[in-house]
Amino acid sequence: MARTSHMVIRKERFYTLPVLSLIALSFLLGMSEFIVVGILPDIAEGLDISLTTVGGLVALFAFVYGPITPIGASISSRFERFHTLLFLSVVFLAGNLMCAFATGYVMLVIARVVIASVSGTAVAVSMTFAEDVASERNRTRFVSWVFSGFSIASVFGVPIGTSIAGFLGWRWSFHFINILTVIVIIVMCAVLPKNHYGVRTNFLSQFFIFTERRIWAGILAVVFAAAATYVFYTYLAPILEQEIGLPSQYVSLALAIYGLACLGSNLYGGKLGNRGRGVMPLIKGRPIYLLQAVFMVSLPFALLNPIAGCAVLLILGFLMYLQNTPSQILYMDVASQTHPGSLNLASPFNSMSFNIGIAMGSAVGGLVTDNIGMRWLGPFGAMFAMLAWITVTWLKWDQSKRQDAE
C-alpha cells in the first residue's frame, strides 16, 4: 500500500486531525440531509407550498440516496481514495449552493438529488480510511464516531440552521453549510492520506455479496427501524409546534435536546458494537425494536400531555441510532469472511438501508398526516419496528442453524 511521508497513522491517540476531518464531513453530510426537517415550515412559507410537499423532499432525498449509494461505492473502489472523496465533497458543495440560491421548488428538488447522489458514497469512502487513521482497537470507535457526525448534526447543526433560518431566512442555513464545507475540504487536503487504491475487483462480482442471507437480514432490519423512526421524525418540528404546543422560538432548543438523545444513541451504539463480531451485536440488540414499538404506540396518548409527549420523543430519539454500529459490524465482518472484494460495496450498506427506511417512513408519514393527522404517526411507526424485530429474530434462528451445522 503506497503511503506519503506525512501519513499518520496508527496511533493510540484517537482524536487526530484526519479523524476529526472525517467526522466533520459526516456532520456536514448529516446537517445537509436533516436540515429540511428543521426548516420545513420556513421553506413551505418561502416558496408558498404545503408542508407535505416540502416533507416530500425528505423522502425524495432518501429514494435517490438508497439505490445510488451501492453503485457509487462499487465504482469508487476503482479510483484513488482521497481524490474520490475530494470530488464527492465538491459535488456536495455544489448541491448545497444550488439549495441556497434555488429560485423555486423544482430547482430545490434538483439540488437535493445532486446532494443525495454523492452523500452515501462519501460516507462509504470515509469508512475506508479507518485502517489508516485509527488503530485496530479503535476501529469500532471510528465507525461509531463517523455515524455520530450525523447525530452531532442533529444536536448542533439542525438547531443552529433552524435558528439561522429564523433570523436570516432559510437560504442562509445552506450558506452556513457551504462555508463549513469549504473549511473541511481545505483541512482534508492537508491531512488525509493520499495515493491509496483499494483492491481491484470486477464491478459485477462485487454484487455477489447480495447472495448472503445475513447481509439481507441486516439491511432489512435497518430499513424497517429507520422507517419506524421517520414516520414521525420527518414531521418533528410541526409536531412540537402543533401537537405539543411549543412556541416557535423554542423549537430550535427542542431539536437540540432531541439531537443530544440521538448523539447518545450513536455513542452507546458504539458500545453495543463491541458485543461480539459478525451478526452477534445486532442479534443482542433485538429488544431495541420492541421498545421502539411500545413507545411509538404510546405516542398519540403521550402527546395529550406536553411533558409526557416530550419524554416519549426523547426516548425514541435515544433508540433511533442504537443499531448503527452493530449493523455496520455485521456488513463489514460478513463481507470480509465471504466476499473480501465487496468491502467497498458493503461499507455504505448501513447508510443506504437507513435512507431507504427514511423514504418509506416519510412517505407513510405524509399519508398519515394528510388523511388521519400527525397525532397518529406513532402506531404506524410501531408496525415497522415490529418488522425489524421479526427480521432480527429470523437472523438469530439462521445463526443458530449455522452454528449447529458447524
Side-chain angles (χ1 to χ4, degrees):
M1 182 186 299
R3 298 171 186 257
T4 56
S5 59
H6 69 278
M7 283 178 69
V8 176
I9 9 225
R10 289 183 180 275
K11 293 183 177 179
E12 289 303 309
R13 189 163 65 93
F14 179 70
Y15 296 106
T16 59
L17 271 177
V19 170
L20 291 174
S21 69
L22 293 170
I23 294 172
L25 179 62
S26 71
F27 164 81
L28 292 171
L29 293 168
M31 184 175 178
S32 180
E33 179 175 357
F34 302 143
I35 190 65
V36 171
V37 173
I39 62 176
L40 191 146
D42 302 271
I43 296 175
E45 182 180 351
L47 297 180
D48 193 25
I49 51 180
S50 69
L51 278 175
T52 50
T53 300
V54 182
L57 289 173
V58 178
L60 171 70
F61 189 101
F63 274 121
V64 174
Y65 189 116
I68 291 293
T69 293
I71 297 171
S74 299
I75 295 173
S76 70
S77 65
R78 307 178 67 84
F79 300 97
E80 197 279 321
R81 181 179 58 183
F82 168 75
H83 290 102
T84 300
L85 186 61
L86 182 62
F87 170 77
L88 295 169
S89 301
V90 171
V91 175
F92 170 74
L93 175 62
N96 282 295
L97 284 169
M98 290 176 65
C99 287
F101 293 103
T103 55
Y105 184 69
V106 173
M107 186 172 175
L108 192 59
V109 166
I110 295 170
R112 298 302 289 173
V113 168
V114 169
I115 297 168
S117 67
V118 298
S119 292
T121 305
V123 173
V125 177
S126 294
M127 289 291 182
T128 65
F129 281 87
E131 66 178 30
D132 293 306
V133 301
S135 64
E136 174 62 26
R137 76 184 186 93
N138 281 328
R139 185 184 74 145
T140 300
R141 191 180 182 188
F142 175 79
V143 171
S144 175
W145 267 103
V146 169
F147 282 130
S148 293
F150 287 82
S151 295
I152 297 169
S154 297
V155 176
F156 299 109
V158 173
I160 289 172
T162 304
S163 297
I164 291 172
F167 286 107
L168 300 173
W170 62 269
R171 296 178 188 279
W172 277 96
S173 300
F174 290 104
H175 286 312
F176 179 71
I177 294 172
N178 293 329
I179 293 168
L180 293 182
T181 301
V182 171
I183 294 171
V184 169
I185 287 174
I186 292 171
V187 173
M188 290 195 305
C189 286
V191 303
L192 285 184
K194 301 172 180 67
N195 299 321
H196 176 282
Y197 290 84
V199 177
R200 295 267 179 165
T201 186
N202 181 274
F203 176 77
L204 292 177
S205 67
Q206 296 180 68
F207 288 85
F208 282 112
I209 188 72
F210 287 111
T211 62
E212 173 59 58
R213 295 195 305 270
R214 291 171 293 178
I215 291 291
W216 275 109
I219 288 173
L220 289 174
V222 174
V223 166
F224 292 139
T229 296
Y230 270 79
V231 165
F232 77 88
Y233 181 69
T234 302
Y235 297 93
L236 183 58
I239 287 172
L240 290 170
E241 288 190 48
Q242 298 175 27
E243 298 295 333
I244 291 181
L246 191 70
S248 58
Q249 62 265 33
Y250 295 117
V251 170
S252 295
L253 177 61
L255 290 174
I257 295 171
Y258 185 89
L260 283 172
C262 294
L263 177 60
S265 178
N266 242 324
L267 295 179
Y268 190 72
K271 294 185 178 181
L272 297 180
N274 286 321
R275 299 167 69 184
R277 308 305 304 172
V279 302
M280 293 313 299
L282 190 61
I283 288 174
K284 291 178 180 179
R286 275 194 312 155
I288 295 168
Y289 306 118
L290 291 178
L291 287 172
Q292 272 189 315
V294 169
F295 283 104
M296 284 179 182
V297 167
S298 72
L299 186 58
F301 310 101
L303 290 175
L304 296 172
N305 180 284
I307 295 175
C310 289
V312 170
L313 287 172
L314 281 176
I315 291 169
L316 289 172
F318 180 73
L319 296 172
M320 189 170 176
Y321 294 118
L322 289 179
Q323 66 177 354
N324 271 359
T325 303
S327 59
Q328 187 69 22
I329 295 299
L330 183 155
Y331 304 136
M332 301 306 287
D333 284 355
V334 171
S336 296
Q337 295 164 7
T338 60
H339 298 84
S342 301
L343 275 173
N344 252 61
L345 176 59
S347 60
F349 279 176
N350 193 79
S351 54
M352 175 198 75
S353 306
F354 204 89
N355 274 272
I356 293 172
I358 288 173
M360 291 173 57
S362 297
V364 171
L367 290 172
V368 174
T369 298
D370 283 342
N371 294 285
I372 304 176
M374 282 187 290
R375 181 177 297 276
W376 299 101
L377 291 170
F380 287 86
M383 296 179 190
F384 284 117
M386 289 306 301
L387 287 173
W389 181 83
I390 291 169
T391 301
V392 179
T393 299
W394 176 87
L395 179 63
K396 181 181 179 182
W397 173 80
D398 182 71
Q399 182 65 12
S400 296
K401 282 186 63 179
R402 288 174 184 272
Q403 290 174 344
D404 291 342
E406 293 172 359

